[in-house]
Amino acid sequence: MNDSQASTEDYDKPGDYEIRLWGHLDERWADRFAGLTIIREANGETLLTGPVVDQAALYGWLRKVRDLGMPLISVARVRGDQSHP
Amino acid sequence: MSSQSTQSLPTILTTKLYVPPQRANVVLRPRLVERLNEGLGHRLTLVSAPAGFGKTTLVSEWVAACAQSDPKVSAAWLSLDEADHDLTRFLMHLIAALQTVAPTIGAGLLPLLHAPQLPPTESLLTALLNDIAIVSGRFMLVLDDYHLTDARPIDEALAFLVEHLPPHLHVIMTTREDPDIPLARLRARAQLTEIRAKDLRFTSTEAAEFLNQVMGLNLPAEALSALEDRTEGWIAGLQLAALSLEGHQDTQGFIRAFAGDHRYIVDYLVAEVLERQPRPVRQFLLQTAVLDRFNASLCDAVTGQRDGIAQLEALERGNFFIVPLDDKRHWYRYHRLFADVLSAHLKAEQADQVAVLHQRASAWYEQHDLPADAIRHALMGEDFQRAATLIERAVPATRRSRQESALLGWLRALPDDILHFRPALNVQYAGTLLISGVMDGVEARLSDAERWLEMLAASDQYPAEALSGLVVVDEQEFRRVPGAVAMYRAAIGLLQGNVNDTLKYAGKIPELAGEEDDLLRGSGAGLLALAHWTRGELESARQAYKECITRLERIGHISDALGCHIALADIQMAQGQVLDARNTYERGWQLATRGGSVLRGASDMLVGLSQLDYERDDLKAATQHLLHTQELGELAGLPQNRYRWRAAMARIRHAEGDLLGALDLLHEAEQVFTRDFSPNVQPVHALKARLWIAQGKLDDALGWAREQGLSVDDPLSYLREFEHITLARIRLAQSKRVRADQLISETIEFLERLLLAAEAGGRTGSVIEILVLHALAWQLQGNISAALSPLKRALTLAEPEHYVRTFVDEGAPMMRLLEEAAKGGVAPGYVHQLLRSAGKAVEGPPVQHGLTDRLSEREIDVLRLLATDLSGPEIARELIVSLNTLRTHTRNIFAKLGANNRRTAIRRAEELDLL
């Protein structure tokens, strides 16, 4: 939310995204989601995070998530200068 | 009949049309069945939910139950896959699916789908809906796994279909995501039934029934409730849980651990299931996961074992997410979600095996003569050399069946360093790119291939190793390379407006390609013809078109040959060979309608005949030919036909005195005009300028001439001849108003120049028109004897070809000149005939030629029966005609009433009080 002043142009540029899913995804899917890091959080959610080249690439990831049938909780763009917890 | 048309389409996968079979033991879901039954009263049922919610099972069980309870209801089933994002492939399979209900549906459309250029989708779908409208009985169309198509054109086609659905057809879609069709509108009109995830989840009762009765687990109540909580009624989860529990010692412990775990259900449970399988079963599951469909023999080839039959039987018995694809239990596939997880396991545990497994699958498909699958697996196994060899072998067949889009997909997947060593394939790639409208990189591929030829020709000048990498799979394909390179360069010339290049390269093809290579030689001749035509070299163009037509017909490219018939006839008309042009169109019409079917291009032949009828002053026949095309439907016309039809009709309207109607048609013609590679020698704007002259709007006509930058001092060229003659006409009309001798004498000089150019170019058709204007110009100056000399020449040239309208359209002044000519004894018989025609034309325009499209007695009979509940076959029996004849009547009725389907036709008929 704190990057609301960014222009749409910024969103077309490569950036880090976080895709949050309900349930823990096995490391086995690392190949399917190559390029993203799979983080299993204590609350039972999975965070897929990493650089996304553009919007088309983002939708590609989301399609893969759809095909798993795992509930999608959120998709968020995180600034390149922000470090993950 | 349907099996025949299916056989001619090697790409139809019949396993896609098979309704998944009923299982012996399933959870009955009356609440959903009721919703589905109610949905039949609406247009569309959408079953939309994520993976693993039992969408396909629900719909297939219900379809089977419907068929049992009411034998009159039948279902067409189509399982979609990723390749269906290609509109042509989607439509082919859609028609094949509908033909399982009624073999007549879309039978006439299949040849059109094999043409290089697809007709407008809406016309195709309208024709399809017309076919559906006359099928008896209610039926449904199931589109399973619709989300896999993922393409805008497919969504648009489906939206159109749903919008225009006849009442006896119902569409059901299962999908993982809502399709991009106007769902909100359908909802608002109560035309949509939706079954979504919340509806599909198993309730407690259903879950209990499934686990205890279907899977035979006998779990206590608290275990059931724990499983239901953990899976939230998600069916794939429950089924996997049941598989994990089978034969498990510690049921309670398993359920406790599962309930307390955060892992993605599928991950957790598949790992459990796999762990519990004996090693051979586990290995079988993982290795066959690379296959998107399989039979026992293919499984054996991939696993290297011989237990495929036994394994598949055991998997089916054990409810292992395996779906039969035919009723012989021959082909199967895994449930897609299960297959996804299995291949994730395979990649994680045996990454080095994946490529090997694909290569084995590719080899099996190759042995079983299924090249497309062999190529797909070779590409997935990243064995590019093997893939390239398979593709090279498949090229001639794909070229024949016009499967350019498949070919392009394969070639794009090959690395360039492999293509470089395979000149035949590289040239084919260049050509396939050109066909799909891509110019980038084409020339580079052609010259790359050509370098090999140069090196081979001068091999003594190169070290032996320079030639060592060359791969030639098919000698014959390799021998085509030089001719193909020239042909594609000729095409590039045309695309870039560089006609001289086209002439140069197309001219070389006869020495480079064998006499027997009709495709290369025919295409070359066609390109040559276009180049000559554009340069105004009509006789060379005519000869080249004749060769092109002969060769294209020989290899069955009939629609392309029909396109060349139009060009040939246009050229013959410009040459003043009206009778030859008529032969050309009559021959084309026979070709287009041979064997009972109507090919794309048939309408164009009728429009051509109409133009010729017009010239010989048979307006009735001219009109009838145009109306006949409407009965054939939009699909029988090539892209230019919509424009040519309007231009032809405009002339008829003009002759009938309806100038405004003619102008409207020309406006429309302008809008539907699509540019192709033929020279546009009679542009619509010039036709409009001629109409303005007739309307007396000389200012508009002069404005046009200024806009086009036309002047009597212009250098003359064939491409602008029609416009220049139009300019001469404007100036003659001007000099009728203001008697300016200079204006006339300048125009006469201009006409003399035009005449010399037309004579030099062998354009007798233009020569006649110019001589007629010449005569009229002298007449305006009051010099009748000078006028008679060009008129006499015009009559001599025109008589053997039976020209009439070229003279008659000039009106009263021409009549006076003809009367003078008759006194002088010039061509007396012919002149009297012209005067008779002219007299008729001057008496005033005849009444509109039945353009209100009266229905015949017979058609009214059919219409009355269409308004009843009788089905197509029943109507045919009632009238004692064949179904085919009935179809013809129905089409004619629809065309005359401007209706797309039975419902609209009845409504129009009621409005018009015809019933």
Side-chain angles (χ1 to χ4, degrees):
Chain A
M1 291 302 127
N2 54 355
D3 50 1
S4 60
Q5 66 269 41
S7 72
T8 42
E9 215 172 286
D10 286 334
Y11 289 101
D12 285 338
K13 288 179 184 161
D16 280 10
Y17 272 84
E18 285 182 354
I19 302 173
R20 195 171 281 279
L21 309 173
W22 173 241
H24 277 170
L25 189 64
D26 271 4
E27 194 52 36
R28 220 171 263 123
W29 296 94
D31 180 70
R32 177 76 54 103
F33 291 98
L36 298 185
T37 311
I38 302 178
I39 301 167
R40 281 167 287 273
E41 304 210 313
N43 62 358
E45 294 172 3
T46 296
L47 205 57
L48 298 172
T49 175
V52 169
V53 185
D54 57 14
Q55 293 291 301
L58 177 63
Y59 284 110
W61 294 125
L62 292 178
R63 174 143 302 168
K64 287 177 194 229
V65 168
R66 177 200 74 184
D67 285 337
L68 285 177
M70 289 175 84
L72 175 64
I73 297 172
S74 68
V75 180
R77 183 171 191 266
V78 285
R79 276 258 155 121
D81 53 349
Q82 278 181 337
S83 50
H84 305 296
Chain B
M1 206 165 91
S2 74
S3 67
Q4 200 182 14
S5 55
T6 314
Q7 267 168 17
S8 67
L9 300 171
T11 47
I12 294 287
L13 281 172
T14 48
T15 50
K16 284 163 66 74
L17 314 180
Y18 177 66
V19 187
Q22 276 179 295
R23 301 221 184 111
N25 220 345
V26 286
V27 176
L28 296 170
R29 317 190 72 184
R31 65 192 167 92
L32 296 181
V33 166
E34 203 174 306
R35 295 269 299 279
L36 286 168
N37 284 338
E38 280 168 19
L40 275 178
H42 305 153
R43 285 186 189 199
L44 175 67
T45 299
L46 180 67
V47 184
S48 186
F53 269 95
K55 301 180 289 291
T56 303
T57 307
L58 173 71
V59 175
S60 60
E61 297 291 338
W62 172 69
V63 162
C66 284
Q68 269 168 17
S69 65
D70 184 355
K72 274 195 203 137
V73 176
S74 38
W77 186 282
L78 177 55
S79 297
L80 296 156
D81 57 51
E82 281 89 352
D84 289 312
H85 67 102
D86 178 57
L87 184 62
T88 309
R89 186 181 194 267
F90 172 78
L91 291 172
M92 275 185 190
H93 282 94
L94 179 65
I95 290 171
L98 291 166
Q99 287 185 341
T100 61
V101 170
T104 49
I105 299 179
L109 301 180
L110 288 175
L112 297 168
L113 296 176
H114 273 294
Q117 211 180 0
L118 213 56
T121 316
E122 292 204 353
S123 321
L124 280 169
L125 294 174
T126 305
L128 195 63
L129 286 163
N130 287 342
D131 287 353
I132 293 171
I134 55 174
V135 168
S136 64
R138 289 175 64 172
F139 68 110
M140 42 194 153
L141 167 67
V142 182
L143 300 172
D144 193 26
D145 279 335
Y146 182 79
H147 61 275
L148 291 173
T149 59
D150 188 32
R152 192 73 203 118
I154 311 281
D155 286 336
E156 281 167 4
L158 201 79
F160 184 86
L161 215 56
V162 169
E163 185 68 33
H164 297 90
L165 225 46
H168 62 300
L169 173 61
H170 180 76
V171 175
I172 300 149
M173 299 163 81
T174 75
T175 175
R176 287 182 185 175
E177 63 180 46
D178 284 359
D180 193 5
I181 63 176
L183 291 176
R185 197 162 72 207
L186 291 166
R187 261 183 219 121
R189 294 190 199 148
Q191 290 167 338
L192 178 66
T193 302
E194 283 172 277
I195 295 183
R196 310 192 67 92
K198 69 171 170 30
D199 311 303
L200 287 161
R201 284 183 203 285
F202 270 164
T203 61
S204 321
T205 330
E206 285 170 334
E209 189 190 337
F210 174 71
L211 292 169
N212 282 347
Q213 280 156 40
V214 176
M215 304 299 285
L217 287 171
N218 285 322
L219 299 173
E222 70 265 38
L224 286 172
S225 123
L227 281 179
E228 199 208 325
D229 276 0
R230 175 69 170 99
T231 59
E232 295 173 308
W234 187 44
I235 298 170
L238 283 164
Q239 191 175 344
L240 278 167
L243 285 176
S244 313
L245 277 164
E246 270 179 357
H248 210 292
Q249 303 297 323
D250 179 11
T251 309
Q252 299 290 341
F254 168 81
I255 293 177
R256 229 183 353 262
F258 176 43
D261 195 283
H262 280 314
R263 281 163 75 191
Y264 170 39
I265 294 174
V266 173
D267 280 343
Y268 186 92
L269 294 174
V270 172
E272 277 283 327
V273 172
L274 285 177
E275 215 167 274
R276 304 181 54 75
Q277 301 308 316
R279 203 188 129 68
V281 175
R282 181 186 154 84
Q283 195 60 3
F284 182 89
L285 286 168
L286 294 186
Q287 292 184 326
T288 52
V290 300
L291 304 168
D292 54 6
R293 57 183 182 125
F294 43 82
N295 62 18
S297 158
L298 174 55
C299 288
D300 287 348
V302 168
T303 59
Q305 308 291 322
R306 289 162 156 203
D307 55 355
I309 295 180
Q311 292 276 16
L312 291 175
E313 277 172 2
L315 291 179
E316 202 189 352
R317 253 196 331 270
N319 268 327
F320 256 90
F321 293 92
I322 182 173
V323 185
L325 294 175
D326 53 47
D327 48 12
K328 296 192 189 74
R329 298 294 196 267
H330 193 55
W331 283 94
Y332 293 89
R333 69 171 172 84
Y334 289 120
H335 186 283
R336 287 181 216 279
L337 182 61
F338 190 60
D340 269 1
V341 193
L342 288 180
S343 51
H345 273 265
L346 176 70
K347 282 203 181 103
E349 294 164 30
Q350 307 171 30
D352 53 331
Q353 282 295 300
V354 178
V356 179
L357 296 170
H358 278 298
Q359 286 159 23
R360 289 182 191 159
S362 173
W364 185 91
Y365 275 119
E366 186 194 355
Q367 282 159 19
H368 290 77
D369 206 18
L370 292 161
D373 294 295
I375 291 165
R376 194 165 43 85
H377 279 291
L379 289 172
M380 287 199 290
E382 301 196 344
D383 187 349
F384 294 119
Q385 288 294 0
R386 189 187 148 70
T389 299
L390 290 168
I391 297 169
E392 255 189 277
R393 270 192 228 135
V395 160
T398 35
R399 198 165 44 219
R400 270 194 303 278
S401 59
R402 296 278 173 102
Q403 302 278 310
E404 270 96 4
S405 69
L407 197 54
L408 192 58
W410 296 334
L411 289 165
R412 282 205 165 120
L414 288 180
D416 267 345
D417 56 353
I418 287 193
L419 282 163
H420 165 69
F421 290 102
R422 296 168 179 264
L425 207 51
N426 218 358
V427 168
Q428 183 60 44
Y429 194 5
T432 315
L433 284 171
L434 267 186
I435 289 169
S436 56
V438 179
M439 293 277 275
D440 265 4
V442 171
E443 177 51 42
R445 293 190 185 283
L446 295 179
S447 17
D448 195 17
E450 206 173 38
R451 221 168 22 250
W452 284 110
L453 300 176
E454 283 161 14
M455 281 163 70
L456 281 173
S459 52
D460 49 332
Q461 290 167 36
Y462 292 93
E465 58 269 25
L467 283 163
S468 63
L470 177 69
V471 181
V472 176
V473 173
D474 179 339
E475 276 294 337
Q476 209 176 335
E477 280 294 302
F478 184 68
R479 276 198 301 272
R480 291 183 90 240
V481 169
V485 169
M487 201 258 282
Y488 293 133
R489 289 218 169 111
I492 294 172
L494 205 62
L495 284 162
Q496 295 181 330
N498 197 341
V499 186
N500 292 340
D501 268 8
T502 306
L503 218 51
K504 177 172 126 197
Y505 290 113
K508 284 185 190 167
I509 293 175
E511 40 186 286
L512 296 175
E515 166 59 35
E516 72 296 336
D517 193 336
D518 282 321
L519 182 59
L520 261 186
R521 297 281 292 264
S523 313
L527 289 163
L528 201 60
L530 273 170
H532 280 306
W533 190 11
T534 307
R535 285 161 52 111
E537 294 148 7
L538 298 189
E539 187 50 28
S540 310
R542 191 182 66 85
Q543 283 167 15
Y545 269 126
K546 287 216 147 172
E547 179 183 350
C548 172
I549 287 172
T550 310
R551 291 186 183 271
L552 290 183
E553 275 178 36
R554 211 144 57 196
I555 48 173
H557 289 206
I558 304 298
S559 280
D560 302 84
L562 290 175
C564 294
H565 275 74
I566 307 173
L568 176 60
D570 271 355
I571 290 168
Q572 287 166 328
M573 270 157 35
Q575 289 183 313
Q577 295 159 356
V578 180
L579 300 179
D580 283 354
R582 177 168 286 276
N583 278 336
T584 300
Y585 280 130
E586 276 169 355
R587 200 179 158 279
W589 169 249
Q590 275 161 15
L591 197 63
T593 53
R594 156 181 93 171
S597 62
V598 175
L599 294 180
R600 198 163 183 220
S603 284
D604 305 72
M605 301 303 111
L606 295 178
V607 171
L609 286 170
S610 166
Q611 288 174 298
L612 298 167
D613 294 332
Y614 178 90
E615 181 52 55
R616 68 177 186 193
D617 197 32
D618 188 347
L619 295 194
K620 201 170 162 200
T623 308
Q624 273 164 358
H625 273 135
L626 291 186
L627 291 182
H628 190 173
T629 65
Q630 292 186 316
E631 291 166 18
L632 298 182
E634 191 120 320
L635 292 176
L638 291 166
Q640 285 285 15
N641 196 50
R642 283 156 21 114
Y643 148 74
R644 293 177 77 97
W645 191 95
R646 283 164 178 81
M649 190 53 113
R651 273 178 89 182
I652 298 175
R653 290 271 159 85
H654 184 170
E656 289 170 346
D658 178 7
L659 298 189
L660 287 176
L663 201 57
D664 280 348
L665 281 162
L666 289 182
H667 283 313
E668 280 180 43
E670 213 159 26
Q671 274 154 21
V672 297
F673 181 76
T674 46
R675 193 78 234 242
D676 59 15
F677 292 113
S678 326
N680 183 16
V681 285
Q682 290 195 6
V684 191
H685 52 74
L687 295 172
K688 273 162 80 173
R690 289 181 176 210
L691 250 177
W692 285 327
I693 302 174
Q695 287 179 309
K697 291 182 178 168
L698 276 189
D699 287 344
D700 286 351
L702 281 165
W704 165 82
R706 256 195 316 278
E707 233 168 71
Q708 301 296 325
L710 292 167
S711 130
V712 289
D713 303 320
D714 283 343
L716 301 182
S717 77
Y718 165 57
L719 291 182
R720 300 208 84 183
E721 182 178 61
F722 190 78
E723 291 160 85
H724 279 138
I725 297 177
T726 309
L727 175 65
R729 287 180 173 279
I730 297 173
R731 293 174 61 96
L732 287 179
Q734 251 184 314
S735 38
K736 276 186 209 163
R737 289 201 182 163
V738 283
R739 293 204 59 88
D741 284 347
Q742 203 199 338
L743 192 64
I744 302 183
S745 55
E746 265 178 23
T747 309
I748 289 177
E749 269 174 48
F750 184 46
L751 284 167
E752 273 162 0
R753 278 210 303 139
L754 280 168
L755 183 63
L756 286 175
E759 281 171 340
R763 298 187 292 273
T764 308
S766 312
V767 167
I768 296 172
E769 185 184 0
I770 296 165
L771 287 170
V772 163
L773 294 182
H774 213 158
L776 292 169
W778 282 120
Q779 186 188 28
L780 268 176
Q781 281 214 320
N783 191 341
I784 301 298
S785 63
L788 285 178
S789 146
L791 179 63
K792 198 171 154 186
R793 276 189 62 202
L795 288 167
T796 314
L797 290 170
E799 182 177 7
E801 299 288 333
H802 311 313
Y803 279 87
V804 178
R805 274 280 160 182
T806 293
F807 297 92
V808 171
D809 282 346
E810 304 301 339
M814 178 50 69
M815 270 183 84
R816 285 196 295 279
L817 272 184
L818 284 171
E819 273 157 9
E820 288 297 327
K823 280 184 212 155
V826 179
Y830 184 42
V831 168
H832 275 113
Q833 187 208 335
L834 292 179
L835 281 169
R836 265 198 312 280
S837 288
K840 210 172 58 187
V842 169
E843 272 163 24
V847 233
Q848 298 264 319
H849 275 285
L851 290 185
T852 43
D853 300 355
R854 289 183 48 119
L855 270 76
S856 70
E857 296 274 336
R858 193 58 166 167
E859 285 164 353
I860 300 265
D861 290 345
V862 174
L863 193 59
R864 289 204 177 106
L865 290 171
L866 284 175
T868 66
D869 287 327
L870 291 182
S871 68
E874 285 164 346
I875 296 178
R877 271 197 298 280
E878 184 78 17
L879 293 169
I880 324 177
V881 296
S882 74
L883 202 54
N884 247 341
T885 309
L886 178 67
R887 278 159 53 98
T888 311
H889 282 311
T890 314
R891 267 179 208 282
N892 293 351
I893 294 169
F894 284 6
K896 289 181 181 180
L897 293 174
N900 283 335
N901 56 47
R902 191 166 167 177
R903 203 169 32 179
T904 324
I906 300 305
R907 207 183 57 234
R908 296 267 160 80
E910 279 165 354
E911 284 164 8
L912 295 168
D913 218 11
L914 291 172
L915 295 174

